[in-house]
Amino acid sequence: MKWIYKLTAVISSAALVAVSCTGLGGNADDGMTIESTVLIYMAADNNLGSYALDDIDEIMDGDVPYYFNEGSGKVLLVYADIRGETPKLIRISKDAYGTVNQEVLMEYEPQNSISDSVMRSVLSYAADLFPSGKNGLVLWSHGTGWLPSGYYSDPYSAEGMIAPMSVTEDPHAAFVKSFGQDSEADEEMDIKDLAAALPIRYSYILTDACLMGGVEVAYELRDCCDYFIASAAEVLAGGFPYDEVTGYLMDGGTVALQEACRLFYEHYKTSGATIAIVNTEGLGRLAEVSRGIFLSTRPTQTSVDRDLLQVYFRGNRPWFYDLEDYVRQLDPPGEMLAGFTNALEQAVVYRISTDNFVIGNTNYFPIKTFSGLSTYVPNPENSVLNEYYRTLAWNEAVMMVE
């Protein structure tokens, strides 16, 4: 799921003006044209704090943009809310001598960084301070895909919900990550609220977090970005190798983003990784053909053997299956299946995965097929999730759950 920060203290307009008047922002007054801006939003007031610090060090070692370059340039920002530290918005850049510097643009009172008001405030301020024709957003934290708040960790008690199943406690929970967890607030945010909190349309949104590579998430964010990048499976806590990919993220072009994903795959080749790039323009057609399939195969859905499907989960959390594998198991007419396959290829423009996902040598699953997107498979015994799923934009478009 997605989480957002709630402000616990009001940031006055005077404070914002004071920072923007420092001349650090690349606004019209200093004559700099900004080619691209990338903001890495770290919600790390949780057990990922040490990994966030490591990743900031990696960013500093990466291909950091110069502070200015003959009247034009690129801007790299990090919003870091790390356990034990004051939340800050930082600009990272190289000076004329090639020295990499961190510049604090805004320091906040302690706040819940998974609240929609805080996220919108931080992102809006950054967008106003560094207006750019190309904007990239990296969402870095814990995350649980499309699930409602709190459900992943405790299906029985999350917001009073009762689920007819148990989950297995994960001994490796500290080694993976998902988007949006604030330990102080003990809150999460779902993908509907995340989509509503984003103040501008981004060139790309990359989720450095677990299980966010679902068709439900991509479709919810389709109007928020041109490209959506995510993992259908979990992401190990170290996240992307920023010392290797920062330059490609700053470039932001399709070839550069593919290279960033390839380097992510290479980094985790021996342990496990899935990563895909979705062209959100293709999601409308994918929804259209999927709707036809789900409506025509309604009786088949309840008879699909989920044990035979490609999974992307561990610990008896059966809410993330391969989208194409599921559609094929529904056995739609050949013409419909061909239309779906074509639409999927138009939407998922890049995908790569390892053959297995392994944590601790004993907790793993094989990856025999990877379409680039995961999906929920309706379970008639789980009225809680089915009821929530009906509220998602994807289900409203495709009617998978009646």
Side-chain angles (χ1 to χ4, degrees):
M1 301 182 65
K2 304 184 176 185
W3 311 45
I4 305 174
Y5 305 12
K6 292 181 181 175
L7 285 170
T8 56
V10 176
I11 303 171
S12 69
S13 59
L16 295 179
V17 170
V19 173
S20 63
C21 288
T22 61
L24 305 178
N27 53 34
D29 292 337
D30 62 22
M32 185 173 79
T33 300
I34 301 171
E35 299 172 4
S36 65
T37 299
V38 172
L39 194 158
I40 302 174
Y41 191 91
M42 290 183 162
D45 186 9
N46 48 48
N47 63 353
L48 296 175
S50 63
Y51 295 102
L53 292 172
D54 289 343
D55 278 358
I56 291 175
D57 287 341
E58 287 185 0
I59 293 168
M60 299 281 288
D61 290 336
D63 188 5
V64 173
Y66 281 92
Y67 183 80
F68 63 89
N69 183 17
E70 297 181 354
S72 65
K74 300 177 180 179
V75 175
L76 174 60
L77 304 174
V78 175
Y79 172 74
D81 185 2
I82 298 172
R83 177 180 288 176
E85 298 194 2
T86 302
K88 299 178 183 69
L89 179 65
I90 304 165
R91 179 179 180 181
I92 299 178
S93 62
K94 289 188 291 191
D95 62 23
Y97 301 99
T99 303
V100 178
N101 300 298
Q102 291 189 34
E103 180 178 40
V104 177
L105 304 179
M106 177 68 77
E107 188 164 352
Y108 302 86
E109 294 296 322
Q111 58 189 16
N112 172 12
S113 290
I114 59 170
S115 116
D116 53 354
S117 60
V118 173
M119 175 175 275
R120 176 171 283 275
S121 175
V122 172
L123 297 183
S124 295
Y125 176 57
D128 290 342
L129 194 59
F130 300 103
S132 172
K134 182 185 293 185
N135 293 277
L137 176 63
V138 178
L139 298 174
W140 189 112
S141 188
H142 277 300
T144 53
W146 62 271
L147 293 174
S149 176
Y151 192 93
Y152 184 84
S153 59
D154 191 354
Y156 282 98
S157 63
E159 296 188 356
M161 295 184 290
I162 304 298
M165 64 166 295
S166 62
V167 298
T168 303
E169 184 176 352
D170 184 4
H172 305 291
F175 301 100
V176 293
K177 59 196 293 191
S178 52
F179 185 70
Q181 183 182 39
D182 189 289
S183 296
E184 295 297 325
D186 192 26
E187 293 181 11
E188 302 175 6
M189 171 184 278
D190 68 27
I191 57 174
K192 295 178 290 184
D193 294 333
L194 174 64
L198 300 179
I200 62 173
R201 183 180 178 93
Y202 292 90
S203 302
Y204 68 85
I205 295 176
L206 185 155
T207 56
D208 193 353
C210 294
L211 303 167
M212 299 299 288
V215 67
E216 301 90 353
V217 181
Y219 196 79
E220 204 74 40
L221 298 178
R222 69 195 184 283
D223 295 329
C224 303
C225 58
D226 298 332
Y227 292 94
F228 176 68
I229 306 166
S231 169
E234 292 168 288
V235 174
L236 298 187
F240 271 68
Y242 288 96
D243 53 339
E244 300 178 42
V245 306
T246 295
Y248 296 109
L249 297 181
M250 294 305 307
D251 180 293
T254 53
V255 174
L257 293 176
Q258 289 178 14
E259 182 62 12
C261 290
R262 187 192 67 81
L263 289 169
F264 170 80
Y265 161 82
E266 292 289 342
H267 190 71
Y268 293 108
K269 190 162 56 175
T270 60
S271 51
T274 63
I275 196 72
I277 303 176
V278 176
N279 182 346
T280 58
E281 186 178 0
L283 291 174
R285 176 58 180 164
L286 182 63
E288 181 182 345
V289 298
S290 296
R291 181 186 180 94
I293 290 174
F294 293 143
L295 291 178
S296 67
T297 60
R298 184 76 68 198
T300 309
Q301 292 180 23
T302 56
S303 62
V304 168
D305 188 346
R306 291 189 293 274
D307 291 337
L308 299 180
L309 295 176
Q310 175 64 59
V311 306
Y312 298 116
F313 59 85
R314 301 176 300 111
N316 194 26
R317 289 171 168 84
W319 311 306
F320 308 94
Y321 297 88
D322 189 80
L323 175 62
E324 184 176 19
D325 198 22
Y326 174 56
V327 168
R328 289 185 179 278
Q329 291 297 323
L330 292 175
D331 195 25
E335 183 177 331
M336 279 189 168
L337 181 59
F340 171 84
T341 301
N342 180 262
L344 183 64
E345 290 177 350
Q346 296 302 310
V348 180
V349 296
Y350 182 86
R351 59 186 177 182
I352 190 169
S353 72
T354 54
D355 293 333
N356 295 281
F357 188 91
V358 182
I359 298 181
N361 297 321
T362 58
N363 210 325
Y364 74 97
F365 56 83
I367 303 174
K368 297 180 180 180
T369 183
F370 177 54
S371 68
L373 288 169
S374 68
T375 183
Y376 174 57
V377 172
N379 181 356
E381 297 178 357
N382 196 329
S383 60
V384 170
L385 281 190
N386 289 345
E387 184 65 28
Y388 177 79
Y389 200 83
R390 292 186 183 97
T391 69
L392 298 179
W394 171 252
N395 194 68
E396 291 174 351
V398 305
M399 293 300 294
M400 186 169 74
V401 177
E402 289 185 291

